[in-house]
């Protein structure tokens, strides 16, 4: 499949069937922590980048395959709401299945009424809020010209007033950037105006755009939970487990995942071990064969964690 991938284990959504509606990398922001690499050229105008019927047919094929799926998650190789047919896809997907639908977005286009209307039928919408001030917004999210902090917050507030589904705000916590008490109190003040159902604390565990992006300390995470929980329920999700048991083509599955985000080698190894419990050596051979194919390469973070990315990835 071209647009549909997984299911992959998600910290927020269990076994999540991903639906990528964008060509890489199409985004309104150039976030310092982005796992997709730098935004070389901003995209700010919505477009139907691929035929929506083509995407829907892949969703239909996936949900009728018998694979265990907890959520169908629309997520782009960039900013998901840039896809102009998103509202139609959400509506048609809900006709196909009772599996809940989520949309992961940076929220930058929620200031547009058309975008807000597109998302109203989703069961959960997960926009980003990484800063409570213009200064940190510009430093972390690095938006395209015209995408100001005030515009971002205005869009989130307006969407909350219209949307009756689950609004889960995602806060990326970065060491030494937005994890101070002052920065967190600023974020809390903004959250109070948005009134989300929950706040999801996320950490930059995957390889990011900038080498200066580091994981916050345990003390910083605890501080964030304490400050933000004064205005909303805070969740620091535990990562689920990757499941390859219903995969017909492991290499194709791994390829489709790494095209969208780096894949933790430890997670992949565990999934292969579960697939072949009686022959752990076979899992090791398969890992070696996949790396030897030339389709992938590995990145090692400072903490020693190894991630798989496509061989074309320019990061080292």
């Amino acid at each position: 499949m071209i647009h549909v991938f997984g299911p992959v284990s998600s910290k927020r959504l269990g076994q999540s069937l991903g639906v990528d509606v964008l060509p890489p990398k199409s985004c309104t922001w150039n976030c310092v922590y982005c796992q997709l690499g730098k935004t070389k050229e901003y995209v700010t105008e919505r477009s139907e980048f691929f035929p929506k019927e083509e995407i829907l047919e892949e969703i239909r094929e996936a949900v009728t395959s018998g694979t265990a799926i907890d959520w169908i998650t629309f997520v782009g190789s960039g900013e998901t709401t840039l896809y102009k047919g998103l509202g139609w896809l959400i509506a048609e997907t809900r006709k196909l299945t009772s599996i809940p639908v989520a949309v992961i977005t940076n929220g930058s286009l929620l200031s547009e009424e058309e975008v807000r209307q597109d998302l109203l039928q989703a069961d959960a919408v997960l926009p980003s809020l990484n800063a409570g001030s213009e200064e940190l917004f510009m430093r972390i999210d690095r938006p395209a010209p015209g995408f100001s902090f005030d515009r971002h917050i205005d869009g989130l507030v307006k969407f909350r007033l219209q949307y009756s589904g689950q609004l889960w705000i995602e806060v990326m916590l970065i060491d030494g950037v937005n994890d101070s008490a002052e920065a967190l109190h600023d974020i809390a003040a903004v959250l109070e105006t948005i009134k989300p159902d929950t706040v999801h604390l996320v950490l930059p565990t995957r390889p990011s755009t900038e080498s200066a992006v580091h994981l916050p300390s345990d003390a910083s995470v605890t501080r964030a939970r304490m400050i933000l929980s004064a205005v909303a329920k805070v969740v620091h999700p535990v990562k689920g487990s990757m499941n390859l048991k219903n995969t017909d083509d492991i290499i194709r599955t791994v390829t489709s995942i790494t095209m969208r985000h780096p894949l933790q080698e430890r997670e992949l190894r565990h999934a292969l071990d579960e697939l072949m419990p009686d022959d752990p050596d076979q899992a090791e051979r398969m890992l070696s064969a996949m790396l030897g194919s030339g389709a992938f390469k590995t990145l090692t973070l400072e903490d020693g964690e190894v991630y798989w990315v496509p061989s074309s990835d320019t990061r080292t």
Side-chain angles (χ1 to χ4, degrees):
M1 295 189 186
I2 299 172
H3 309 288
V4 171
F5 62 99
V8 297
S9 61
S10 166
K11 294 179 180 180
R12 300 162 294 249
L13 302 165
Q15 294 301 314
S16 170
L17 183 75
V19 183
D20 187 349
V21 294
L22 301 175
K25 176 191 178 187
S26 307
C27 202
T28 54
W29 290 0
N30 180 27
C31 298
V32 295
Y33 59 83
C34 186
Q35 62 195 16
L36 297 174
K38 293 182 179 181
T39 302
K40 296 178 180 178
E41 184 175 345
Y42 289 115
V43 178
T44 59
E45 296 296 325
R46 304 186 79 203
S47 178
E48 191 172 303
F49 299 95
F50 306 104
K52 56 184 182 292
E53 295 83 5
E54 175 182 295
I55 299 173
L56 182 65
E57 185 55 38
E58 289 194 13
I59 296 171
R60 187 195 316 275
E61 183 179 338
V63 299
T64 57
S65 68
T67 301
I69 301 168
D70 295 318
W71 285 82
I72 297 171
T73 307
F74 287 91
V75 54
S77 292
E79 171 41 37
T80 313
T81 60
L82 283 167
Y83 187 78
K84 200 170 179 61
L86 186 59
W88 183 88
L89 279 173
I90 294 171
E92 293 302 311
T93 298
R94 289 178 63 90
K95 293 176 186 177
L96 286 178
T97 177
S98 61
I99 298 171
V101 172
V103 178
I104 296 178
T105 169
N106 64 21
S108 61
L109 294 174
L110 289 175
S111 56
E112 299 182 14
E113 175 64 24
E114 179 185 63
V115 174
R116 297 197 297 272
Q117 288 295 322
D118 275 358
L119 301 187
L120 292 182
Q121 292 192 67
D123 296 282
V125 176
L126 291 76
S128 299
L129 178 68
N130 303 313
S133 67
E134 178 83 22
E135 177 189 357
L136 279 184
F137 173 71
M138 290 297 178
R139 180 178 171 186
I140 297 170
D141 298 323
R142 301 187 301 194
F147 285 81
S148 67
F149 177 68
D150 287 343
R151 173 179 172 177
H152 183 52
I153 303 309
D154 181 63
L156 289 168
V157 171
K158 285 180 177 177
F159 183 63
R160 172 76 286 182
L161 291 174
Q162 294 175 267
Y163 181 58
S164 59
Q166 290 292 304
L167 183 62
W168 299 340
I169 297 289
E170 183 178 274
V171 178
M172 176 66 74
L173 205 61
I174 304 171
D175 179 50
V177 180
N178 63 348
D179 61 343
S180 68
E182 180 184 2
L184 290 165
H185 279 297
D186 287 344
I187 293 173
V190 174
L191 288 171
E192 202 161 12
T193 68
I194 299 170
K195 298 178 174 54
D197 294 288
T198 59
V199 173
H200 288 196
L201 282 181
V202 291
L203 309 179
T205 54
R206 292 173 178 153
S208 58
T209 299
E210 308 292 340
S211 60
V213 173
H214 300 293
L215 289 167
S217 66
D218 290 343
S220 291
V221 174
T222 299
R223 178 166 57 236
R225 296 182 73 170
M226 291 180 63
I227 292 173
L228 301 184
S229 64
V231 294
K233 178 183 176 183
V234 176
V235 178
H236 183 203
V238 176
K239 188 171 179 62
S241 298
M242 186 179 188
N243 186 351
L244 293 173
K245 292 182 179 178
N246 294 310
T247 300
D248 294 328
D249 187 330
I250 292 175
I251 292 180
R252 185 178 65 183
T253 298
V254 173
T255 299
S256 69
I257 294 171
T258 58
M259 284 174 60
R260 276 84 185 187
H261 63 71
L263 175 61
Q264 190 179 57
E265 183 176 84
R266 180 156 49 95
E267 181 183 5
L268 175 57
R269 188 185 301 275
H270 177 72
L272 290 173
D273 285 340
E274 285 198 330
L275 190 64
M276 298 167 281
D278 299 328
D279 189 358
D281 289 340
Q282 185 177 351
E284 194 63 39
R285 290 193 298 272
M286 184 167 290
L287 281 171
S288 297
M290 285 193 288
L291 271 181
S293 70
F296 312 99
K297 70 177 185 180
T298 59
L299 300 177
T300 304
L301 302 192
E302 289 181 358
D303 61 2
E305 200 70 68
V306 178
Y307 285 83
W308 285 40
V309 296
S311 56
S312 57
D313 194 296
T314 58
R315 287 171 287 187
T316 57

